[in-house]
Structure formats: C-alpha cells, structure tokens
Amino acid sequence: MFAAGHPEEVVLEQYAMGKLDEPAVEAVEEHILVCVSCQDRLDLTETYVRSMKSALASAQKAEVESRWRTRIGGWFQMPAPAWAGAAAVVLLAIVAVFNLRNFTRSGIPAAVVLTATRGETASIEAKGPLDLNLDARDLTPASTYRVQLVNGEAEDVWQQPSATVSDGYIHVRIGKHLSRGQYFVRVFASGAGTPREYALQLR
Amino acid sequence: MESERSVSTAQSSEQPDNLVYDWSGMVDRIQRNDETAMEELYRVFSRGIRFYLCRQLGPQDLDDRVHDCFLIVVQAIRKGDLREPERLMGFVRTIVRRQIAGHIETAVQTRRQQVDIETSGAIPDRRLDPETFVIGRQEEELAAAVLKGISRRDREILTRFYLHEQSQEQICREMRLTETQFRLLKSRAKARFGELGKRKLFRKVS
Ligand SMILES: [Zn+2]
C-alpha cells in the first residue's frame, strides 16, 4: 500500500474515488496529515479524477447527441411511413438500453428520487443496491459534487467523492448493504462548506 | 521538507519510515508545558489539518478552525485524554473529523431551520466564485485534450473506470487487458494531464 514511505499512486486514486476501506482510509489520512508532498499529490489526483470524470461525461454526451443528430438527419430523408417506423424502433431501443444497463450490474437496484429536505422524507425498502437520483436544481454550480451518506447519528456510512449532474439530477449508486433506519444524503460542491441535504428512510 | 521535523524512535508497519516522529516524546513534552513541543506540534500538523478542513468545509474561517482543532488537541493531551501517545496522528485525525462533522451538522441544522421557514422554492446555495469556476473549466479542458490524444478503445477504458466506476478486474476481463496494460494506460493519461497542466501554467507565467 505504501511505497518508499508514501501511499502508492493507485492507493491515492482509490482514496480520491472513495474506494478504500476504512483501515486503509485511516492509514492514508494519518499519513497525509503530516506529509506535505502527499497533500500535493492528493490534490493533483483529486483534480485529475474530477476533471477526467467531467471531460468523459461531456465526451459521452457529445457522442450521444451526434449519433442522434445523424439518425434524425436520416429520418427526414425517408418517406413518412418509414420515418414513423424508425421513431418507434428507436423508442424501443431506448427502453431496451435502459433495462439492459440496469441488469448488467449486480442485483436489481431500487431507484429513488430525492428532493432537498423540506420536512418530507423519501421512504424505501432496505434491500439490495440503491440508485439515488438527487434533485440538483439550485445547487451551487460545480463540475463535480461529493455525495455523502450519513446515518441518523450523523456517522459516515458511504461516500462518492466526485459525482456529476446529468439532466438536472446527480445519480449515484450505493452498492453496500444498508440496515433499516434514518439516513441523510449530503451533497457538497467543491470548496463550498454548506451542503445540500436529502432525507431518506430505509424500512 | 522532512528534515526540519523531529525524528523518532517508534515505527509501525503501516507508517512510512521517513516520516516517523517521536509522538510519545512530543506528548510528554506538551504535558510538561514545553513551548518548543507545542511549536513542533503546530509545525507538523498545521498544514495537514488546514488541508483536511479546507477540503471538507471550504476556505471560510479556516484559521479559526485550525486554531480550534489545536486547542482541543493540546487540552486533551494536557488532561491526559490521549491514552496511547504513540497514536497521536490518529488522535489528531479523530479530532479533525469530529470538528468537520460538527460544522457540517451545524450548517445542516441551520439549513433545516431555513427550509422550515421557507414556504416555497429552494434556498439558493452560495455560488462558486468565478475564479474557481474558470479553473474547473480549464482543468476539464486539459482532461479533454488528454482524451483527444488517445484511441477510442483507451477512452472506453477510462470511461468505464472514472465515469462508470467499474472495477479494474471487470474492465480487464471484459476488455481483455492485463493489469499492467491497464495501469500503464491510466498512468500515461495522468502524466499527460500533468504535463499539459504544467505547459499551460508555464505559458501563463512567461
Ligand atoms: Zn507522503
């Protein structure tokens, strides 16, 4: 895990991406607390992961849009009945891709849409992975957000250091098993101290 | 950087060997009100504490927050609350984490109260300052430049890893890659990012 006294590059990256388990997090954080060069390395790694994520998301979005433009361009060159048929096929394809995406991952995730705490709490059964769609309206603009899940006692349960907004929502998947109880999902824009909070009840 | 710090005796398996301090000695000296030990404690930890607080809470009130952490650590040491002096780093980390959790809790409570008072519409968050926003844009452009210079297949590998957060094992299996090929691709892309960043910085300076 450590090489020549400092966390290896891959370990720092796992830390930046929230993929290290607790004992390793502890070792890395204690080291970073006293090692200035690793503070700089972590800064660079986080910047890299964040920027790469945004650039890849933009590239993917641009690719999808360009594919659509090509297809739509093609439709208008077709006779009308063929155009309608093609639209139906594409619509079915979208549904199929959406379903496929959900089945290729482990287990069938429970999807839940959360809006910022306003007295109401989303309630969902505690089983399997959770697909959270966090309403990102009025969030501080940032290229990525840190999403943290805390339990009713405000203890860290899970986190995703760099999530992005897509179509007005921050989408995150929590793969770990969560026991029943009250949870809060907190979203932090980089550099902004006040988080946005969403309430979630697992029953 | 390490040379100006005191060197120690104790060494644990997970501790890097070139950054090992005599934590017990430092704790002992702080308990005896040794001013130089306090200065040393501050020198060793201040940047790290600042680093964590800034990452989690942002730059506002940073000096005060660092100072608060120090006060808590020093008072705890003096009161003898630190049972294992050789675990001073872990203790400082715990204090910093508690402080962060406390500040977040306060911020959340304040927001909840604001939300209760609000009748409609979301509460606008503090906007990112334009400079930070521009820097973020520039960094994304650097990453985009890295992506432009690699093959479609390499881009897919990075997409799977950074965007879809697939595991290294899954990517290597599905894309028929060895672990070394995977690591090489990632480290080359990161090195290119650093290189482009330095060039950009150099152009700005010159
Ligand atoms: Zn280090």
Side-chain angles (χ1 to χ4, degrees):
Chain A
M1 201 174 115
F2 282 81
H6 303 272
E8 288 176 289
E9 214 54 47
V10 63
V11 173
L12 274 189
E13 190 173 74
Q14 284 172 331
Y15 175 76
M17 293 176 76
K19 288 184 171 179
L20 279 187
D21 50 15
E22 186 46 35
V25 166
E26 195 178 318
V28 168
E29 287 190 345
E30 287 184 11
H31 175 83
I32 285 169
L33 205 47
V34 293
C35 181
V36 176
S37 71
C38 284
Q39 288 163 20
D40 293 340
R41 284 174 68 215
L42 179 62
D43 247 349
L44 176 67
T45 303
E46 284 186 328
T47 301
Y48 175 69
V49 170
R50 190 173 57 232
S51 315
M52 199 36 100
K53 230 175 189 172
S54 316
L56 286 165
S58 303
Q60 203 174 48
K61 200 173 162 204
E63 204 172 311
V64 170
E65 280 170 2
S66 131
R67 250 185 264 151
W68 269 97
R69 264 197 298 276
T70 314
R71 263 182 211 186
I72 290 170
W75 292 351
F76 287 108
Q77 285 159 14
M78 293 179 199
W83 189 93
V89 169
V90 172
L91 199 64
L92 283 174
I94 295 170
V95 174
V97 167
F98 177 78
N99 285 332
L100 200 66
R101 240 187 99 215
N102 283 280
F103 276 104
T104 47
R105 294 177 181 170
S106 59
I108 300 170
V112 56
V113 175
L114 300 180
T115 50
T117 301
R118 199 169 290 280
E120 79 268 36
T121 301
S123 174
I124 192 160
E125 226 174 306
K127 57 168 190 180
L130 266 183
D131 260 351
L132 299 183
N133 294 293
L134 311 167
D135 183 357
R137 276 173 301 174
D138 297 311
L139 269 183
T140 302
S143 52
T144 55
Y145 296 87
R146 184 163 64 85
V147 182
Q148 179 192 34
L149 182 73
V150 296
N151 61 19
E153 280 76 52
E155 293 162 341
D156 271 7
V157 176
W158 172 91
Q159 68 169 304
Q160 151 88 269
S162 50
T164 50
V165 175
S166 173
D167 297 326
Y169 288 91
I170 294 174
H171 172 85
V172 288
R173 171 163 299 180
I174 302 175
K176 74 184 282 184
H177 173 76
L178 299 172
S179 47
R180 288 174 192 165
Q182 176 70 56
Y183 292 88
F184 295 98
V185 185
R186 293 168 177 177
V187 175
F188 302 78
S190 50
T194 312
R196 166 65 49 93
E197 185 177 82
Y198 308 81
L200 175 66
Q201 178 79 40
L202 290 187
R203 50 172 207 271
Chain B
M1 150 204 90
E2 282 87 17
S3 59
E4 61 182 289
R5 294 173 180 167
S6 68
V7 180
S8 78
T9 48
Q11 210 170 315
S12 84
S13 58
E14 276 301 320
Q15 289 302 319
D17 51 11
N18 60 343
L19 274 177
V20 181
Y21 300 93
D22 177 10
W23 301 125
S24 304
M26 196 190 275
V27 167
D28 184 52
R29 282 159 57 214
I30 291 170
Q31 281 172 335
R32 285 187 279 112
N33 284 329
D34 180 340
E35 283 294 320
T36 61
M38 308 266 274
E39 283 165 19
E40 200 175 324
L41 181 82
Y42 194 84
R43 197 171 61 237
V44 173
F45 284 108
S46 62
R47 191 175 159 181
I49 292 178
R50 179 174 286 272
F51 177 79
Y52 276 119
L53 291 173
C54 191
R55 279 176 85 227
Q56 306 276 339
L57 301 171
Q60 64 278 17
D61 306 327
L62 201 50
D63 287 336
D64 289 346
R65 285 171 179 169
V66 173
H67 184 72
D68 288 348
C69 283
F70 261 96
L71 275 186
I72 295 169
V73 171
V74 169
Q75 280 166 1
I77 291 174
R78 282 182 175 158
K79 277 200 304 189
D81 288 347
L82 177 54
R83 301 268 157 78
E84 300 170 85
E86 67 284 0
R87 294 276 306 125
L88 179 62
M89 276 202 301
F91 182 70
V92 174
R93 173 179 173 260
T94 305
I95 298 293
V96 174
R97 282 171 75 110
R98 264 190 223 148
Q99 287 292 98
I100 290 168
H103 283 297
I104 290 174
E105 208 43 48
T106 310
V108 166
Q109 291 300 339
T110 310
R111 179 173 287 281
R112 271 187 205 152
Q113 282 157 14
Q114 283 175 332
V115 168
D116 288 343
I117 297 164
E118 281 268 307
T119 50
S120 66
I123 297 166
D125 287 28
R126 201 166 43 79
R127 301 271 135 187
L128 270 190
D129 64 279
E131 199 188 351
T132 311
F133 193 69
V134 169
I135 291 171
R137 269 278 164 79
Q138 286 171 344
E139 287 163 350
E140 189 185 327
E141 281 167 13
L142 287 182
V146 172
L147 294 177
K148 267 190 191 141
I150 62 175
S151 70
R152 200 184 171 85
R153 178 179 157 81
D154 287 354
R155 210 158 48 228
E156 184 184 340
I157 295 165
L158 296 181
T159 303
R160 281 169 173 249
F161 186 74
Y162 291 109
L163 196 59
H164 302 317
E165 304 213 353
Q166 291 180 359
S167 69
Q168 176 181 320
E169 294 72 29
Q170 185 186 352
I171 298 168
C172 288
R173 193 178 57 242
E174 291 177 3
M175 301 218 42
R176 295 171 193 278
L177 281 169
T178 64
E179 193 186 314
T180 313
Q181 287 170 323
F182 178 77
R183 282 197 183 207
L184 256 181
L185 162 68
K186 273 176 54 229
S187 62
R188 276 194 201 129
K190 190 175 176 188
R192 181 82 185 124
F193 179 83
E195 209 177 283
L196 290 173
K198 267 187 208 149
R199 263 195 235 164
K200 196 158 192 159
L201 191 71
F202 179 74
R203 271 208 300 275
K204 265 188 196 163
V205 172
S206 57

